[in-house]
Amino acid sequence: MTETHSTAGGGHGVSPWNIANVLTVIRLVLVPFFTICLFLPGLGWRLAALVLFALASITDHLDGELARRYGLVTDFGKIADPIADKALTGAALVSLSVLGELPWWVTIVIMGRELGVTLLRFAVLRHGVIPASYGGKVKTVLQLFAIALYILPWSPELLRWSAMGAAVLVTVITGVDYVIRAIRLRGLARRVRGE
């Protein structure tokens, strides 16, 4: 969700078997276990789901940080990292909506934005890569925090709604910003080619 692997250059001459990619794969593996725990009845399973979600969220931060710091950006990471991010948040949002704890419109808005940005990223890839913005990082933190509050059984309803409302607002705003930057990048690429 941090959109980090896709923002750095490189990918050539770096082994895909590195710690950043291993963390990305671990995040993917944790998703089904997290989902199962979320649906199992009882406080213990709910707390287990929260722990797994927290661990997966931590790997989301670490893999991007390690990839940037040690030059471990790979083509595999560029593809797998956003997939793992969407899998984690998507599984959490859909599961919470199925359980009746989160309105479906929230899940649809957030997942619609994430899917739209992913498709847009692939559409403009031949023109260049749009770097992750500060707003995108804030969006990620807000989404993870809000989802964690919904998983946590005793978090206050007002705090849950406030956090999720902020997450939805920033998600939409950064989505619009991404569309604007994609249009600008496409226009710049055309001018450079003299079209």
Side-chain angles (χ1 to χ4, degrees), residues 10-96:
H12 302 290
V14 179
S15 171
W17 295 102
N18 62 61
I19 186 63
N21 288 343
V22 168
L23 288 172
T24 300
V25 172
I26 288 174
R27 185 159 72 259
L28 271 171
V29 171
L30 286 175
V31 170
F33 292 102
F34 153 73
T35 306
I36 291 169
C37 289
L38 196 56
F39 277 95
L40 290 173
L43 179 62
W45 288 113
R46 191 67 176 219
L47 293 177
L50 181 61
V51 169
L52 290 176
F53 183 78
L55 286 174
S57 299
I58 290 170
T59 67
D60 180 29
H61 171 73
L62 283 179
D63 63 1
E65 185 68 27
L66 290 170
R68 285 193 308 271
R69 183 173 297 181
Y70 298 107
L72 301 177
V73 177
T74 64
D75 291 334
F76 172 81
K78 291 177 185 178
I79 296 171
D81 184 60
I83 290 174
D85 295 344
K86 305 304 180 284
L88 178 62
T89 54
L93 292 168
V94 170
S95 296
L96 289 168

Side-chain angles (χ1 to χ4, degrees), residues 154-185:
W154 51 78
S155 59
E157 191 67 25
L158 180 60
L159 181 59
R160 285 180 174 184
W161 261 108
S162 299
M164 189 59 76
V168 170
L169 181 62
V170 175
T171 296
V172 172
I173 291 172
T174 55
V176 172
D177 175 65
Y178 199 95
V179 170
I180 293 171
R181 290 194 292 156
I183 292 171
R184 287 177 180 167
L185 177 64

